[in-house]
C-alpha cells in the first residue's frame, strides 16, 4: 500500500496469448472484475511495459502488467448499527434474512435506516469496493413489507458474478404467499410483461409485450385456506412487484396487499384481529452459484411468525 493505493504486478501466462488484455488480466487478478479492470485501464491505472494499454490489446504472453488500484471511495450512505439476521457470510458475499418493514436501499423517502445503512456498519472494513466505491453490491431487492432472503455482494468480483446469474435467470428464488381465493388450476404458469402503471406511478401493471419486461411466475398451491390459499411462487424472472402483480392479475391478490388487493369480507376480521397490515409474501428460499468457488449454495428461511399466525387463523 502506498498513498492510499495498492499496486499489483503480474506476468501474463503464455496460454493467455491471443486473448484481450482485460479478459486475461481478469483471470490473472481474480479479486477484480473485468469491468473494473476496464475502468482502471481507461483511467490510466494499468501499464504494460511502462505503456498504458487499451482493454482490447491482444496478449502475447509473458508481459508484465502493473495495476494501481486507488483506495475505494467512501459510500455516500452512512453506516448505522441496525440488527441483521445473517444466514451466511464470507469474504465475497452475505445472505441476509430481511424482516418486513426494512427498506433495502436509501431513497428520497428513506434516506437512512435501510438495509444498506446496516450493511455498511456490519461490513465495515470488509468491502473491497464495488466499482471503486466501498459499498455493498445490491443485485436484487425485495419490497419494504416483504420479508425473506437477499444476497448482497461484498466485492467487485462477486457483484459481477451475481449480476450475471440474475441476468440469465439462473438464480433460484421461491416465495410463499397467502392469496385470496383458491387458484384453479392449483398449479400453473403466469406469463405477462410487467411495466409501470400508466396512471398510478407507484404501481406496476401487466402491459403489452414490448412495453414492459418479460415476466414468468410458476405457482403451486401448498395448502387450501378459508377463501384463500397458501401458494409457493417460483420466479423464472425477477421484476418489480412480480409475484404481487401476477397473482393479482390471475384474480388471486395477496392478502394484506395495499396496492394490488382489496380485502374480502371473509378476511377482514381475521386481518384486523391479527393486526396484519402488509402483503403476505415471504422470500423463503434462494439458490445460487458462489461467484468465486463455483459451489452450489442453497438457503431457506423460516416462515415469519405474522404469516404463520395468518395461515393458522385461516386454516380449514
Amino acid at each position: 500500500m502506498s498513498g492510499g493505493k495498492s499496486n499489483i504486478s503480474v506476468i501474463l501466462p503464455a496460454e493467455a496469448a491471443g486473448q484481450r488484455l482485460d479478459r486475461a488480466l481478469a483471470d490473472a487478478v481474480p479479486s477484480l472484475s473485468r469491468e473494473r479492470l476496464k475502468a482502471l485501464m481507461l483511467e490510466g491505472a494499468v501499464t504494460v511495459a511502462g505503456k498504458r494499454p487499451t482493454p482490447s490489446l491482444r496478449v502475447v504472453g509473458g508481459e508484465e502488467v502493473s495495476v494501481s488500484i486507488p483506495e475505494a471511495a467512501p459510500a455516500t450512505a452512512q453506516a448505522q448499527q441496525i440488527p441483521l439476521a445473517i444466514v451466511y457470510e464470507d469474504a465475497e458475499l452475505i445472505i441476509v434474512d430481511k424482516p418486513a418493514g426494512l427498506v433495502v436501499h436509501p431513497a428520497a423517502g428513506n434516506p437512512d435506516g435501510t438495509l444498506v445503512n446496516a450493511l455498511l456498519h456490519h461490513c465495515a472494513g470488509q468491502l473491497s469496493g464495488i466499482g471503486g466505491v466501498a459499498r455493498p453490491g445490491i443485485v436484487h431487492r425485495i419490497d419494504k413489507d416483504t420479508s425473506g432472503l437477499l444476497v448482497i455482494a461484498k466485492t467487485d468480483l462477486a457483484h459481477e458474478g451475481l449480476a450475471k446469474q440474475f441476468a440469465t435467470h439462473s438464480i433460484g428464488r421461491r416465495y410463499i404467499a397467502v392469496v385470496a381465493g383458491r387458484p384453479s388450476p392449483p398449479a400453473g404458469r403466469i406469463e405477462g410483461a410487467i411495466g409501470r402503471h400508466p396512471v398510478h406511478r407507484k404501481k406496476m401493471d401487466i402491459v403489452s409485450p414490448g412495453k414492459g419486461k418479460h415476466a414468468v411466475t410458476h405457482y403451486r398451491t401448498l395448502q387450501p385456506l378459508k377463501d384463500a390459499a397458501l401458494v409457493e411462487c417460483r420466479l423464472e424472472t425477477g421484476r418489480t412487484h412480480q409475484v404481487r402483480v401476477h397473482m393479482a392479475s390471475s384474480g388471486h391478490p395477496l392478502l394484506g396487499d395495499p396496492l394490488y388487493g382489496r380485502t374480502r369480507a371473509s378476511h377482514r376480521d381475521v386481518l384486523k384481529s391479527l393486526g396484519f397490515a402488509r402483503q403476505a409474501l415471504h422470500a423463503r428460499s434462494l439458490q445460487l452459484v458462489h461467484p468465486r468457488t463455483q459451489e452450489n449454495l442453497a438457503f431457506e428461511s423460516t416462515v415469519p411468525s405474522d404469516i404463520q399466525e395468518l395461515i393458522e387463523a385461516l386454516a380449514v
Side-chain angles (χ1 to χ4, degrees):
M1 296 292 291
S2 175
K5 296 184 178 182
S6 62
N7 298 297
I8 297 174
S9 239
V10 296
I11 296 177
L12 298 178
E15 55 266 27
Q19 291 185 2
R20 284 173 54 111
L21 177 61
D22 56 352
R23 178 178 293 279
L25 197 53
D27 290 338
V29 188
S31 60
L32 295 173
S33 71
R34 186 177 175 185
E35 290 304 312
R36 179 67 178 131
L37 286 164
K38 275 186 183 178
L40 289 171
M41 287 181 206
L42 296 174
E43 293 166 8
V46 177
T47 60
V48 178
K51 295 181 179 180
R52 295 179 178 180
T54 64
S56 60
L57 177 72
R58 293 296 169 178
V59 170
V60 176
E63 297 98 322
E64 184 172 358
V65 183
S66 296
V67 184
S68 180
I69 308 167
E71 187 175 12
T76 54
Q78 298 299 308
Q80 292 179 296
Q81 190 170 0
I82 299 168
L84 288 174
I86 307 298
V87 176
Y88 174 88
E89 183 175 11
D90 62 21
E92 301 287 345
L93 53 84
I94 183 169
I95 311 287
V96 173
D97 197 344
K98 187 189 85 68
L102 181 64
V103 175
V104 171
H105 205 281
N110 300 94
D112 56 19
T114 71
L115 178 63
V116 166
N117 298 108
L119 287 167
L120 285 170
H121 179 273
H122 175 81
C123 300
Q126 302 176 50
L127 300 171
S128 67
I130 308 296
V133 178
R135 60 184 172 90
I138 305 297
V139 287
H140 70 128
R141 304 184 190 190
I142 54 179
D143 302 328
K144 173 186 175 182
D145 290 325
T146 298
S147 53
L149 298 173
L150 273 171
V151 57
I152 302 100
K154 294 169 69 175
T155 67
D156 200 55
L157 175 75
H159 189 264
E160 182 179 51
L162 291 170
K164 284 181 180 178
Q165 291 181 59
F166 276 102
T168 58
H169 312 305
S170 61
I171 285 188
R173 284 177 290 168
R174 295 176 189 266
Y175 288 69
I176 63 157
V178 181
V179 302
R182 297 179 182 178
S184 181
R189 178 180 187 272
I190 302 171
E191 180 174 1
I194 294 177
R196 189 68 59 183
H197 193 286
V199 178
H200 305 289
R201 304 307 292 171
K202 290 185 177 181
K203 295 179 67 174
M204 306 303 286
D205 199 10
I206 300 291
V207 297
S208 303
K211 291 188 176 180
K213 293 183 177 180
H214 172 69
V216 176
T217 302
H218 300 268
Y219 74 88
R220 67 184 180 100
T221 300
L222 300 178
Q223 180 181 345
L225 301 170
K226 179 184 176 184
D227 193 22
L230 174 66
V231 300
E232 178 188 77
C233 294
R234 178 175 65 83
L235 300 189
E236 186 174 312
T237 58
R239 310 303 182 197
T240 302
H241 296 182
Q242 180 172 316
V243 172
R244 299 166 68 187
V245 171
H246 273 176
M247 293 311 299
S249 74
S250 71
H252 302 284
L254 276 59
L255 266 64
D257 194 328
L259 274 182
Y260 302 103
R262 182 176 296 177
T263 302
R264 296 187 180 188
S266 55
H267 301 143
R268 195 169 294 129
D269 288 345
V270 171
L271 294 177
K272 185 177 180 180
S273 66
L274 294 175
F276 195 92
R278 67 159 175 125
Q279 61 265 12
L281 185 62
H282 179 67
R284 183 168 68 173
S285 70
L286 184 66
Q287 298 90 36
L288 57 98
V289 175
H290 194 286
R292 180 185 290 282
T293 67
Q294 299 303 300
E295 178 187 0
N296 289 313
L297 301 178
F299 306 94
E300 188 153 326
S301 166
T302 303
V303 178
S305 59
D306 61 342
I307 292 183
Q308 189 59 50
E309 288 171 357
L310 178 63
I311 293 167
E312 291 170 1
L314 293 173
V316 291

